[in-house]
Amino acid sequence: MALSAKKLTWGLLTLALAAAGIAAWQLKQIQDIREFNQAVQEAKTPTTHKDSFEAKFAVAYWQAKNARYQEATHLFGQLLEQGNASQKSAVQFNTGNIFFLRGLIVNGSNITVRDETEYLLNQAKTAYEQSLRLDHSFWDARHNLDRVLSMLPATPTPGSGESDSPGLIMGNIPVGLP
């Protein structure tokens, strides 16, 4: 079976056109990715890939960055149903950061906020632990978990009262001494 020059030319021309089409499609994809990244860097809603995990993550991140914690936590919670283990770990890490930051904001010199602060820090602890279960090599989550654990009061021993615990606000200063 000998190929004629005409058949070979048409075959190579078809192959060249297909390669040019694929190259054009890839250039369009690269341009879309650049536009997406630019929008994320400028804290704008991306015009491409609006329903992607990355777009929703970016929106949730910027909501948290702008102190819209409730909306960010809700959107991060929705993202836990998508993505791979590494992405879910990042979602848990950022959720932990939101709770940690809110706990730091609530924590003050007023003893009445102690329960709310402890609740928020426990939520942060749980999120960091879940992040590490999904990606045990996530060092930022390990670091933040260590910080949260150092801020939480020690678990009281059975039978000891509330007054025996140093608490969150006063740290290691004994309660009841002048």
Side-chain angles (χ1 to χ4, degrees), residues 28-42 44-49:
K28 172 71 170 123
Q29 291 294 317
I30 290 171
Q31 182 60 31
D32 287 349
I33 291 169
R34 285 185 181 146
E35 289 175 14
F36 178 87
N37 288 339
Q38 185 68 29
V40 169
Q41 288 176 345
E42 294 172 359
K44 296 179 182 174
T45 303
T47 57
T48 61
H49 306 294

Side-chain angles (χ1 to χ4, degrees), residues 53-162:
F53 179 91
E54 291 80 8
K56 292 177 182 177
F57 187 94
V59 170
Y61 178 82
W62 284 108
Q63 285 176 339
K65 196 91 164 146
N66 293 311
R68 297 175 61 188
Y69 303 122
Q70 200 166 20
E71 294 95 336
T73 303
H74 180 70
L75 190 51
F76 276 134
Q78 290 176 348
L79 288 174
L80 283 175
E81 299 168 8
Q82 304 174 20
N84 58 33
S86 178
Q87 290 171 324
K88 289 179 182 179
S89 178
V91 167
Q92 289 290 358
F93 173 74
N94 282 287
T95 302
N97 286 345
I98 290 170
F99 284 118
F100 192 11
L101 183 59
R102 286 178 61 201
L104 291 174
I105 291 169
V106 169
N107 188 19
S109 57
N110 186 347
I111 197 71
T112 60
V113 298
R114 181 174 145 207
D115 290 338
E116 184 179 356
T117 301
E118 190 171 342
Y119 169 78
L120 291 168
L121 292 179
N122 276 317
Q123 291 296 102
K125 173 185 154 200
T126 301
Y128 290 138
E129 289 171 342
Q130 289 173 348
S131 175
L132 288 169
R133 276 190 212 104
L134 292 164
D135 182 3
H136 61 80
S137 63
F138 196 173
W139 287 102
D140 289 343
R142 287 178 190 259
H143 174 79
N144 287 3
L145 177 60
D146 182 53
R147 295 276 130 266
V148 167
L149 290 174
S150 70
M151 293 180 72
L152 283 170
T155 305
T157 56
S160 66
E162 182 86 17

